[in-house]
Amino acid sequence: MDELDIKILKLLEENGRLSHEEIGKLLHISRPSVHQRVGKLEKSGVIKGYRGIVDWGKLDQKIKVMISVKVVSQSFREAADQIIGIEIPGVSILECQRMAGEWCMLLKVRVASPEQLTLLLDEILRIPDIRETSTTFILSTIYEDGMKGI
């Protein structure tokens, strides 16, 4: 992988819908060269897939929070699976990260209202292997998913 591959990856991270022709024009290389490079990046697993960036505000899930979770260490995977499986209308668990340090897990969550957040926290705390949670409200996003000001 070289600097040109990195430039292609950055362009695709900013806009996964760019055509190979558009990437070629931006980087001053041929469309077949872009096609070949992208194919190799996909085949090697560097590019895992393509996705849309969601405007959660339009789905009425304007509140974004980070929830830190303490878990009984030997039960981490089971607790994470139970949390991810929680289904509450107006709640979307976007990420679940395993952490080192005082907190074992970090969740990135979108909710429509504080009431839905309360329901989610109540469900999380019903899981036997969960010891404690701490919630931080996100006021604004400066940089996320390779994009500024999402």
Side-chain angles (χ1 to χ4, degrees), residues 78-89:
E78 294 82 11
D81 289 343
Q82 286 180 304
I83 290 171
I84 293 165
I86 294 172
E87 292 186 19
I88 298 170

Side-chain angles (χ1 to χ4, degrees), residues 93-106:
I93 299 173
L94 305 176
E95 293 181 19
C96 177
Q97 307 290 339
R98 186 166 193 167
M99 308 293 290
E102 181 180 353
W103 297 96
C104 305
M105 186 185 310
L106 182 66

Side-chain angles (χ1 to χ4, degrees), residues 5-41:
D5 288 332
I6 298 294
K7 288 178 181 179
I8 290 170
L9 291 171
K10 286 182 179 181
L11 286 171
L12 287 172
E13 190 173 44
E14 289 173 14
N15 182 357
R17 295 187 66 160
L18 281 175
S19 70
H20 292 174
E21 185 172 338
E22 291 169 316
I23 293 169
K25 286 179 183 177
L26 289 168
L27 299 179
H28 308 292
I29 59 175
S30 70
R31 186 199 54 75
S33 178
V34 173
H35 181 75
Q36 179 185 19
R37 286 174 175 268
V38 169
K40 285 181 182 178
L41 292 166

